[in-house]
């Protein structure tokens, strides 16, 4: 699909803030899937790309359609959001290129993620 097709296809039309006409896949808990994948990586740490590679090896289906207004696919953003919001995934401070390196700590999975500030 080229850019013109994406712009003229109503499935990619924006529906509010950072959403498109394609419904989100709620059948997979991405934080649990990321936990399984990152636990198979050396030293239980890796980047979003490493986790996606392991998820593909584990036969998970990631949405490859482009995310509206972003440079990566919807699947990439699902995984990145799960890693950045889950308390069990710690940012190590290291990077590989521009990608952050996350470390998996399963004992922290029971903690609730910090609440997002509400808009007034």
């Amino acid at each position: 699909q080229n850019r013109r097709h994406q712009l003229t296809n109503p499935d990619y039309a924006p529906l509010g803030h950072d959403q498109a006409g394609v419904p989100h896949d709620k059948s997979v808990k991405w934080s649990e899937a990321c936990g399984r994948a990152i636990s198979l990586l050396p030293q239980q740490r890796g980047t979003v790309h490493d986790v996606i590679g392991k998820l593909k090896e584990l036969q998970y289906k990631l949405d490859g359609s482009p995310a509206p207004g972003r440079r990566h696919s919807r699947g990439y953003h699902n995984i990145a959001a799960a890693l950045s919001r889950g308390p069990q995934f710690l940012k190590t401070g290291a990077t590989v290129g521009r990608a952050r390196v996350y470390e998996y700590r399963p004992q922290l999975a029971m903690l609730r993620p910090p609440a997002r500030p509400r808009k007034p």
Side-chain angles (χ1 to χ4, degrees), residues 35 38-39 44 87-89 103-111:
I38 202 168
S39 66
Q44 295 189 346
Q88 67 270 33
F89 306 110
E103 183 176 349
Y104 182 56
R105 299 271 177 92
Q107 65 271 21
L108 299 177
M110 297 300 166
L111 297 177

Side-chain angles (χ1 to χ4, degrees), residues 13-14 17 19 28 30 50 56 59 66 73 85 87 89-90 104 106 108 113 117:
H17 183 68
Q19 294 180 359
V28 177
W30 289 112
D50 298 332
K56 287 182 179 178
Q59 305 299 317
S73 68
R85 293 183 184 144
F89 306 110
L90 299 176
Y104 182 56
L108 299 177

Side-chain angles (χ1 to χ4, degrees), residues 54-80:
K54 279 294 178 192
L55 287 172
K56 287 182 179 178
E57 286 179 21
L58 295 171
Q59 305 299 317
Y60 280 94
K61 297 205 180 232
L62 296 171
D63 187 356
S65 63
R70 306 227 175 126
R71 79 187 315 172
H72 294 289
S73 68
R74 290 174 190 268
Y76 177 93
H77 286 288
N78 284 340
I79 302 307

